[in-house]
Amino acid sequence: MAENYFGEDVAARYDNPDWEMFDPAVINPVVDLLADLAGDGPALELGIGTGRIALPLAQRGVPVHGIDLSEAMVARLRVKPGSEQIGVTIGDFARTRVDGEFAVAYLVFNTILNLTTQDEQVACFQNVAAHLRPGGCFVIEVGLPDLQRLPFGETIRPFHLSETRLGFDEYDVVNQGLISHHYRAVDGKFEKWSIPFRYVWPSELDLMARLAGMSLRDRWSGWKGEPFTSESTKHISVWEKTGV
Ligand SMILES: C[S@@+](CC[C@H](N)C(=O)[O-])C[C@H]1O[C@@H](n2cnc3c(N)ncnc32)[C@H](O)[C@@H]1O
């Protein structure tokens, strides 16, 4: 089982309405696209967390089931109105199977990178394909590694600097490894939280999809269908289950 980096302390501060990711202007386009792809079919969220996306999607009438490793994150979901409609299975989304055949499966907010080996990321695509109906879609939202800005031979890129928060990504370009270090000011001292990722290129994800019997249907740089270009810093990719 993968290691759980979303324990009680992280879960307790995850739902912060001041963060952009909780802004309805950010959430609504995500839910619009997922609801469109789901139609009346069920949706499977890998890494459902506290239900940031699953709850508004269920409110649109889409049946949603989630998988998550973290009991603490799911406990936060469970106290929210509307969560009683959402089924959750505790387990590793790379390999955990749930009942049902889904119209859409989705993995947002960089969460594919939480699988820190290529084998686990490949297994995740295969697990998703096994849950999708023919023609069903897998949607991933993930950032691109900031390697064009990493000076040759260096390993650290800052991603946030303010009086109360500091963030640095530490790259291991040999192994496609990335550790995000977060420092948060608490009572005049900085507390540190670090989490490991495996960064992955769009082309490698396309190959993982192909190995699992899926093919690329769309790739954008944003949830409103913005074009994906050489300057994009993230992508939304949609693969369709086409068979083996
Ligand atoms: C960054 S949060 C995203 C939560 C939610 N999808 C959202 O958009 O707010 C990542 C979530 O994925 C879960 N997670 C990470 N790796 C996992 C794995 N291998 N299997 C299951 N859940 C995992 C974490 O417990 C956490 O709840």
Side-chain angles (χ1 to χ4, degrees), residues 189-204:
K189 287 188 183 163
F190 276 100
E191 283 185 355
K192 183 181 176 209
W193 179 68
S194 297
I195 180 167
F197 297 109
R198 177 182 189 267
Y199 66 81
V200 59
W201 302 103
S203 55
E204 191 183 2

Side-chain angles (χ1 to χ4, degrees), residues 91-125:
D92 183 344
F93 57 60
R95 296 174 192 276
T96 299
R97 294 296 306 268
V98 306
D99 289 340
E101 208 181 36
F102 293 84
V104 65
Y106 61 97
L107 184 45
V108 296
F109 206 63
N110 299 324
T111 303
I112 183 68
L113 309 184
N114 284 76
L115 299 174
T116 54
T117 66
Q118 188 186 55
D119 280 352
E120 289 308 289
Q121 292 178 350
V122 166
C124 176
F125 272 77

Side-chain angles (χ1 to χ4, degrees), residues 40-63:
D40 56 5
L44 178 65
E45 178 162 3
L46 311 183
I48 189 168
T50 62
R52 183 179 66 95
I53 303 300
L55 276 167
L57 185 60
Q59 276 156 14
R60 297 271 186 100
V62 177

